[in-house]
Amino acid sequence: MTLASAGLPQYVKLYHAACEDTPTHVALPNSWTPESNAIAWRDMVVSAIDTVWVLVAAFLVFFMQAGFAMVEAGLTRAKNAGNIVMKNLMDFAVGSLAYWMVGFAIMFGAGSAFFGSSGFFLSGDWSFLGLNVPIEAFWLFQVVFAGTAATIVSGAMAERTRFTGYLIYSAVISAVIYPVVGHWTWGGGWLSQLGSQGFMDFAGSTVVHSVGGWAALAGAIVLGPRIGKYNEDGSINPLPGHSITLAALGVFILWFGWFGFNPGSTLSGTDPAIALIATNTSLAAAAGATLAMLTSWIRYGKPDVSMTLNGTLAGLVGITAGCAFVDIWAAVVIGALSGILVVHGVEFFDRVHVDDAVGAIAVHAVAGAFGTLAVGLFATDGGLFYGGGFEQLLVQLAGVLSVFAWTFGTAYVLFKLLAATIGLRVTPDEETMGLDLGEHGLTAYPDWAPLQPGLGSAHAQAARVSRGQTG
């Protein structure tokens, strides 16, 4: 059997032809030379490696959805755990469809400096992007980023948001709000054209995390605080979560997933820079955790677990913009300052009565904005501390402010419209009872508390009867 009849890929045939003295059994192009074949073979192997790399990175980032779900569930009360898991599942499911239909085209399609207008439903020719991986692999990597931006909002609005309103929000942010920002920065839009280097946000401190954080701020303001969170005199009542263990598991998952988030943004498994990016990512997380722990220890007399967990995430968010642009020592500084900022950020939003159930605004909006600005200071090419002057810092500031204005403004209008039409907040009775029962008719922990009559699955009701429970 000859290679020509073996059904092998053409690059394998050419490889074998290059290795044999007389490749007469292979039909070769007229332009074939050993040198050109070696180049073609190299390019095909690199493309295959890059494709696998991008897919594996996408899988890691997808796993971050589980991390967000665990963090949010752990830092909120048990009576809402099922609702939180449902939101973190469905914002990705609904968002994926919206991003496939509309969002990806707005973000990466050909169009203006403000939004793309071609390639809806992933159709058409995408060769103008110059990718070294299939468009499907690139789309998958991008959709998990869109899912991250969407799910950040869930935590800040937890324990009082109507599920239907949340689903609509998830579709809109994935289809329009996030993709517009992505187009400005990564799709050739106007932010990418500012200054000599453009707005620098390698993996999304602002494009992904601040978008989610500013939308979360808008949602928390429109919703108002949870029942019992603030007293008439302005004092604050803690509403502690039910499982710090789940929250910690979520943070470990997120730290792990970030190795896909940041190094994966190279879109190349053959780029040696992935080593520096991964190192910067991990050290920033470590510094964020350590400084958040020390800050809380000094302020509260004991090292606060939830603040330390959020400090880890703040360090990760903070370094995401500059992970490919800064030296290792700068990554540690950025992570450390992000860890300090998140403690003060959580306290600030509590003082102004913006009820963020998990600290998402401080983690993603505040640390994301800071990390983006830090690129203008610490970037080895163009940063202020490396002799680049103020140009890049001003470009970074313009990007942070424009993304805030767009995201907060559109999200605020969206949430106001939802509140005025279908309703955004559950009733006080549903909030007090818990959204597991009020929104889904079940409870995440059926052995902890009996279900209300007529609510819950048939299995749960049967279990109650078998235990002799009524009413």
Side-chain angles (χ1 to χ4, degrees), residues 42-426:
R42 180 203 63 192
D43 291 346
M44 290 176 181
V45 169
V46 169
S47 178
I49 293 172
D50 290 349
T51 300
V52 172
W53 170 254
V54 170
L55 289 174
V56 170
F59 303 156
L60 286 171
V61 179
F62 171 74
F63 190 42
M64 290 172 70
Q65 288 288 131
F68 282 116
M70 294 301 97
V71 169
E72 185 182 346
L75 294 180
T76 53
R77 290 168 289 185
K79 63 184 180 180
N80 301 301
N83 171 259
I84 285 165
V85 171
M86 190 69 164
K87 287 194 300 179
N88 280 269
L89 171 67
M90 293 311 300
D91 60 25
F92 184 76
V94 171
S96 293
L97 295 173
Y99 193 72
W100 166 65
M101 291 186 287
V102 178
F104 187 77
I106 291 176
M107 189 162 174
F108 292 104
S112 70
F114 297 97
F115 56 87
S117 56
S118 65
F120 297 97
F121 295 91
L122 204 58
S123 61
D125 180 12
W126 293 94
S127 59
F128 67 90
L129 292 177
L131 298 172
N132 199 40
V133 298
I135 188 62
E136 295 83 2
F138 183 66
W139 178 87
L140 188 66
F141 186 70
Q142 295 301 329
V143 76
V144 292
F145 273 51
T148 298
T151 206
I152 288 167
V153 181
S154 175
M157 299 174 64
E159 301 196 315
R160 65 237 198 243
T161 305
R162 287 192 63 189
F163 185 62
T164 51
Y166 185 78
L167 289 179
I168 294 172
Y169 144 79
S170 299
V172 174
I173 192 173
S174 301
V176 180
I177 298 176
Y178 165 73
V180 166
V181 175
H183 184 79
W184 292 353
T185 306
W186 297 334
W190 69 276
L191 279 179
S192 68
Q193 301 168 24
L194 290 182
S196 58
Q197 299 190 87
F199 179 60
M200 297 170 67
D201 187 355
F202 184 74
S205 286
T206 283
V207 176
V208 179
H209 293 280
S210 283
V211 165
W214 299 134
L217 176 61
I221 290 173
V222 173
L223 269 179
R226 291 167 289 174
I227 295 173
K229 177 63 178 177
Y230 304 113
N231 299 316
E232 291 184 2
D233 62 1
S235 58
I236 302 167
N237 296 316
L239 299 177
H242 80 282
S243 176
I244 204 70
T245 308
L246 277 183
L249 174 62
V251 169
F252 280 117
I253 291 172
L254 288 169
W255 192 336
F256 177 64
W258 236 284
F259 291 122
F261 207 99
N262 287 358
S265 293
T266 61
L267 303 179
S268 174
T270 58
D271 185 347
I274 59 179
L276 173 65
I277 294 169
T279 300
N280 282 347
T281 299
S282 197
L283 284 175
T290 302
L291 267 295
M293 178 192 71
L294 293 175
T295 302
S296 68
W297 206 333
I298 292 169
R299 294 184 67 80
Y300 313 138
K302 293 183 182 295
D304 187 89
V305 180
S306 64
M307 285 293 191
T308 303
L309 295 175
N310 272 335
T312 308
L313 299 181
L316 290 164
V317 170
I319 196 56
T320 295
C323 56
F325 306 136
V326 303
D327 287 328
I328 292 175
W329 72 268
V332 173
V333 172
I334 292 170
L337 293 176
S338 297
I340 296 171
L341 276 174
V342 77
V343 176
H344 293 283
V346 169
E347 292 178 351
F348 169 79
F349 288 112
D350 241 356
R351 284 198 301 270
V352 297
H353 290 191
V354 174
D355 183 13
D356 177 354
V358 303
I361 302 168
V363 168
H364 297 280
V366 175
F370 165 73
T372 305
L373 294 173
V375 175
L377 300 174
F378 296 102
T380 56
D381 184 9
L384 178 64
F385 297 157
Y386 285 80
F390 286 93
E391 180 192 28
Q392 193 60 48
L393 181 60
L394 292 175
V395 169
Q396 299 301 106
L397 178 61
V400 168
L401 293 177
S402 60
V403 170
F404 165 76
W406 162 258
T407 305
F408 182 82
T410 53
Y412 186 84
V413 170
L414 172 63
F415 288 129
K416 278 290 190 180
L417 287 174
L418 290 173
T421 52
I422 66 171
L424 187 62
R425 183 164 184 153
V426 299

